Amino acid sequence: MKTQLALLSLALAAPAAAQEANRGFEEINGKTAVVKVVYPRQLRRGGTWSDGPPSMSFVNIYDDRGRPVEESQYSGKQLSLRKIATWLDAPEAAAFCAALRKGPAADASFAGTDESALNRFCAEKAKKKFTARFEHDGMATSRPLSERLIRRIFILPDKEGRPAEEWRFDMMGALDSRVERKYAQDGTPAEETVYNFEELPVSRTVYARNKAVNTETISVFNDQDQLVSRTVKAFRETGKLRKVVETAFDDGEQERWRDETSYDGNGFRAAEARYTGGEQDPGHEYEYEVKADEKGNWVRESRRKFVNFRGSRMPAAGEA
């Protein structure tokens, strides 16, 4: 069978690190330093399929505060993509903007920025408190990190310290996009709006919770306020995930495809089914097996794929 293998290394960072890897594990107990996801190449030995060398893998490294500092992608053993992040706390971010307003000569690492949207942002937010994340190309190691800038992201908190605004600038200081976040009275996310460089809204995400049935619904709308996708998460009384249904819609808000994922009592993925075009039977399915450590975190996840052909459910050997 084609097996998807996921490995979690536990050592240094915070629980939020796991969510950054987008691997479907919503809760991590303890600290993580590295999250590694591997897709092995399948080899047939005799009449059985087994894991061979990786065809693709992803490695995320986190600092001791759970923030991603390096994200890498490999094709086989060959590095194909790497991104490095540097983080600025509020005093450092304020110092960056102050130096930028005075001119690039104040710090050589700020070179390449001119009178731009970034300059205006720094001038307008001079009295605000914010943090920043700078993203760099991790491939061209022969050049200084300051010359490999991809984008700068500034995060402004609300009165409660939650991320309320996110400003994203390209390497030249031009505004790429801006995000506004609103929260419900209980502190959970309520709405998120993304604006483009012209300050026009391009997407809106709405969060709704139903305490009676213990579900959360996340709806995403485009710039025409048409429904693009909807995710419904159902939770157990313990707070662990029980089921997640993800649906994507076309321009007429008709169902394009639907994924239904069930979770076991520990919150680990157990089974997944993909439906296309509103069909009643899934086109393919996955069965998951998870191994956990002594803290209850998953450390290995494998899956087997099945396809449905003319009403029959068959193993899909050699497929992802």
Side-chain angles (χ1 to χ4, degrees):
M1 304 290 179
K2 178 70 174 181
T3 303
Q4 174 202 10
L5 173 63
L7 301 173
L8 174 65
S9 299
L10 303 171
L12 294 174
Q19 298 180 11
E20 293 286 342
N22 298 320
R23 288 298 308 127
F25 46 92
E26 278 71 16
E27 188 175 311
I28 292 293
N29 301 306
K31 297 181 179 181
T32 63
V34 180
V35 174
K36 182 177 182 180
V37 179
V38 181
Y39 293 86
R41 183 175 288 108
Q42 292 301 290
L43 301 177
R44 184 165 185 140
R45 297 182 175 92
T48 61
W49 291 89
S50 60
D51 292 346
S55 60
M56 184 175 294
S57 58
F58 303 84
V59 181
N60 285 8
I61 300 175
Y62 303 87
D63 66 13
D64 57 2
R65 293 165 61 180
R67 303 177 302 187
V69 294
E70 186 175 303
E71 300 173 53
S72 302
Q73 178 178 329
Y74 294 84
S75 179
K77 295 183 179 181
Q78 183 72 31
L79 178 65
S80 56
L81 181 65
R82 175 168 288 164
K83 182 170 64 177
I84 296 174
T86 55
W87 296 83
L88 279 65
D89 290 330
E92 298 169 313
F96 166 82
C97 272
L100 187 65
R101 293 197 305 273
K102 293 178 181 178
D107 189 322
S109 64
F110 304 152
T113 58
D114 53 11
E115 186 57 39
S116 61
L118 177 56
N119 294 69
R120 292 191 294 274
F121 167 86
C122 285
E124 294 170 2
K125 308 297 182 182
K127 296 183 179 181
K128 298 285 187 178
K129 182 179 180 180
F130 52 85
T131 58
R133 172 184 174 177
F134 292 177
E135 297 179 353
H136 308 265
D137 177 10
M139 300 293 288
T141 56
S142 60
R143 296 160 53 200
L145 193 64
S146 60
E147 296 180 5
R148 293 183 273 146
L149 183 69
I150 299 173
R151 67 178 59 87
R152 297 183 178 98
I153 302 171
F154 294 82
I155 303 98
L156 282 74
D158 62 12
K159 294 180 180 179
E160 304 298 327
R162 302 166 301 199
E165 288 186 71
E166 189 172 292
W167 294 69
R168 303 166 181 170
F169 300 90
D170 66 17
M171 65 184 72
M172 299 304 295
L175 179 64
D176 180 61
S177 62
R178 182 174 67 87
V179 181
E180 283 186 357
R181 296 185 176 93
K182 298 179 181 179
Y183 297 86
Q185 290 185 349
D186 61 0
T188 57
E191 187 171 318
E192 177 180 296
T193 304
V194 179
Y195 299 85
N196 64 13
F197 65 95
E198 295 180 322
E199 285 291 324
L200 298 175
V202 292
S203 71
R204 182 170 60 93
T205 303
V206 178
Y207 301 81
R209 290 160 188 82
N210 188 325
K211 294 183 178 179
V213 293
N214 206 10
T215 62
E216 178 186 35
T217 301
I218 305 171
S219 303
V220 180
F221 302 86
N222 63 15
D223 59 342
Q224 302 297 317
D225 210 31
Q226 294 176 320
L227 184 63
V228 175
S229 67
R230 180 174 58 228
T231 300
V232 180
K233 298 180 180 181
F235 299 88
R236 302 179 189 274
E237 293 181 355
T238 60
K240 301 286 187 180
L241 273 173
R242 179 174 59 83
K243 186 176 182 179
V244 175
V245 179
E246 302 171 84
T247 309
F249 301 92
D250 60 20
D251 292 340
E253 297 192 4
Q254 298 298 308
E255 182 178 307
R256 292 174 51 207
W257 55 261
R258 183 175 80 257
D259 262 5
E260 296 185 0
T261 305
S262 60
Y263 295 76
D264 64 18
N266 295 315
F268 299 142
R269 283 187 289 191
E272 179 182 349
R274 164 64 67 94
Y275 300 81
T276 304
E279 294 182 354
Q280 297 300 311
D281 297 320
H284 66 260
E285 302 174 67
Y286 292 105
E287 291 182 355
Y288 291 88
E289 291 182 2
V290 178
K291 291 183 179 180
D293 64 7
E294 66 279 358
K295 294 182 180 180
N297 299 304
W298 66 265
V299 293
R300 188 185 195 278
E301 178 189 83
S302 60
R303 73 182 184 185
R304 296 185 299 273
K305 184 177 181 179
F306 298 85
V307 295
N308 292 294
F309 181 71
R310 294 181 179 177
S312 298
R313 186 172 184 266
M314 301 179 296
E319 293 190 29

